[in-house]
Amino acid sequence: MSRISTSDLHGYLIDERNLGSLAEIPATLYEEIHADILALYKQAAAHEDPFGEGAQSHLKERESLREYIRDLYAVRTRKILALALARANGEEIDRDEIRMMVPGERVLFDVVYESASSCRKTLLDGKPTFETTAYHFVPAEVSAEQAPVLLQPVNETPDELCADEVNVTSADAPAPESYRVIAVYENLPEFQDYSGRIYALSPGDVVSLPPQMADVLCKDNKALSIRLRK
């Protein structure tokens, strides 16, 4: 099976926005995009220079996939909710619409329909219902190998990041353990970190970055590692 490209995903989004009904998408689209996002993350993390063109291109592509799939999900979900509520109110809906739903979306449709039907019976007909409905769906393609892998610090000891280090007393909570705080020495071109955050840093900026990125900037004398104390 060929990989779904960013342009393919953008095409699905355009079709979904232009159609009043649900557009056809691959049954495993969400699972495939999830796998691609994870693969791009791993490819970016494998580069020695996280600021280089190779790593940054992977991160930018990953962020594009994330934005497109979120937008597609939002548009399709609005349509699915409207269909489920219409059916719960006794309206006829096109069965082709249901066939256009991928498995996880069909579960959402059923849950909303059943919940709305129960609510209608209780509030309008005075018939208490005791069913409990909740969304639960496990994609068939998901496996332990697809679970996100947290990046480990390049150096276990923060002192090894830079020869020089500044100790700062702060009442604020420290940066997350997976991030390190640095003070920037010079202007840096815009870049993304592994979580998709975009930075445009100037001298004097204090920011928390993944340890791999902080390590590179410190070793290149472009930043100074900061140790926070409460």
Side-chain angles (χ1 to χ4, degrees), residues 146-221:
Q146 292 180 335
V149 179
L150 295 178
L151 291 175
Q152 296 299 321
V154 175
N155 298 314
E156 292 296 328
T157 307
D159 294 341
E160 296 176 1
L161 273 176
C162 304
D164 299 319
E165 192 171 71
V166 177
N167 293 329
V168 176
T169 301
S170 173
D172 297 330
E177 291 184 3
S178 58
Y179 276 65
R180 290 184 182 158
V181 180
I182 60 172
V184 178
Y185 280 163
E186 59 183 70
N187 290 314
L188 299 176
E190 184 176 285
F191 65 91
Q192 287 189 29
D193 70 7
Y194 299 117
S195 65
R197 295 186 183 92
I198 298 176
Y199 302 80
L201 302 177
S202 304
D205 287 344
V206 176
V207 65
S208 59
L209 289 176
Q212 292 88 338
M213 291 185 160
D215 184 45
V216 170
L217 292 178
C218 289
K219 287 182 177 179
D220 290 345
N221 294 319

Side-chain angles (χ1 to χ4, degrees), residues 65-122:
L65 288 178
R66 290 172 65 177
E67 290 180 2
Y68 286 146
I69 197 64
R70 287 170 179 169
D71 289 347
L72 180 64
Y73 167 82
V75 177
R76 290 182 65 85
T77 299
R78 284 195 293 270
K79 295 179 181 180
I80 293 169
L81 294 178
L83 288 168
L85 293 175
R87 184 175 179 182
N89 287 326
E91 300 177 24
E92 290 290 332
I93 63 172
D94 189 344
R95 291 186 176 275
D96 286 338
E97 294 262 46
I98 296 179
R99 285 194 286 268
M100 290 296 181
M101 299 176 192
V102 300
E105 293 174 338
R106 178 57 192 270
V107 174
L108 173 63
F109 172 85
D110 290 340
V111 167
V112 174
Y113 164 67
E114 292 168 6
S115 297
S117 296
S118 297
C119 179
R120 180 183 177 88
K121 291 177 183 177
T122 300

Side-chain angles (χ1 to χ4, degrees), residues 118-135:
S118 297
C119 179
R120 180 183 177 88
K121 291 177 183 177
T122 300
L123 299 183
L124 297 184
D125 302 332
K127 299 177 180 178
T129 56
F130 301 97
E131 299 92 345
T132 300
T133 57
Y135 183 87

